[in-house]
Amino acid sequence: MASTADIKNGVVLSIDGQLWSVIEFQHVKPGKGGAFVRTKLKNVVSGKVVDRTYNAGAKIEIENVDRRDFTYLYNDGESFVFMDVADYDQLTVGAATVGDAKNFLLENQQVQIALNNGNPLYIELPASVVLEITYTEPGLQGDRSSAGTKPATVETGYEIQVPLFLETGTKVKVDTRTGDYLGRVN
């Protein structure tokens, strides 16, 4: 057990069986009354953000979270298989843990996986990935009903909005956080 003096940004706490990451904290010493620590916590699994206050010196439980580099190998239907780049061990991760990252995963892509006691918590992708457009309608120059963009399906099966001039087979850079088109890649 640790105390509130050990709270730092990025530390993962175990509260009521759930893991919460400290986004920010502030030690407050008012003129009247005891000191306390005000924290902003983010749920590691769901992403929910809450504010929580602790009395100074209160006991808290700090969890060990290990972020390691992995290579994505394949999808076997209901789960995704990754290989640890350090020791070549394979790790199977459920679709619920992978979440929206599946829209941007290509074979042999490098990712970071956060592990707690050997259990995968979440997957961190690079900020952007290069994907090839597998299908898109031909864009008509006079057609402006869709503000100069059209839907395009990329090689992972995900659909994004791209400018009218892009064609099938073009490689594009896509933001993994929002799914937005960032530009063409030559």
Side-chain angles (χ1 to χ4, degrees):
M1 292 293 270
S3 73
T4 54
D6 299 319
I7 291 179
K8 307 233 178 322
N9 288 344
V11 167
V12 177
L13 307 176
S14 177
I15 303 169
D16 301 330
Q18 294 186 334
L19 297 178
W20 298 82
S21 177
V22 176
I23 298 173
E24 59 185 56
F25 72 99
Q26 180 181 20
H27 186 82
V28 180
K29 174 93 174 79
K32 185 177 183 181
F36 59 91
V37 178
R38 187 179 295 138
T39 62
K40 185 177 280 192
L41 305 172
K42 179 180 179 183
N43 190 306
V44 169
V45 178
S46 69
K48 179 180 176 184
V49 176
V50 298
D51 292 326
R52 187 140 182 192
T53 304
Y54 295 96
N55 290 331
K59 298 293 180 199
I60 55 173
E61 194 172 335
I62 294 179
E63 285 289 329
N64 183 22
V65 174
D66 185 23
R67 289 181 178 84
R68 297 189 3 214
D69 292 326
F70 283 82
T71 301
Y72 172 60
L73 296 178
Y74 61 92
N75 178 359
D76 69 1
E78 63 272 350
S79 58
F80 296 79
V81 179
F82 296 87
M83 180 183 68
D84 191 334
V85 295
D87 58 11
Y88 305 111
D89 283 344
Q90 289 190 5
L91 175 70
T92 303
V93 180
T97 305
V98 173
D100 290 337
K102 71 180 183 297
N103 298 327
F104 309 106
L105 278 176
L106 289 174
E107 289 182 5
N108 299 321
Q109 183 175 351
Q110 299 296 317
V111 297
Q112 268 198 336
I113 300 179
L115 301 166
N116 173 256
N117 299 329
N119 299 324
L121 300 174
Y122 58 89
I123 293 177
E124 290 180 8
L125 291 171
S128 63
V129 292
V130 175
L131 300 171
E132 185 176 332
I133 296 175
T134 55
Y135 177 77
T136 185
E137 296 285 335
L140 300 174
Q141 196 56 30
D143 179 24
R144 287 287 186 258
S145 64
S146 59
T149 64
K150 62 183 179 179
T153 305
V154 293
E155 56 190 309
T156 60
Y158 187 62
E159 190 171 281
I160 62 171
Q161 292 292 320
V162 298
L164 291 172
F165 60 84
L166 292 179
E167 300 170 358
T168 300
T170 307
K171 289 192 180 287
V172 293
K173 187 180 271 192
V174 180
D175 188 329
T176 58
R177 297 171 300 242
T178 61
D180 292 341
Y181 163 83
L182 294 176
R184 213 173 12 175
V185 176
N186 294 339

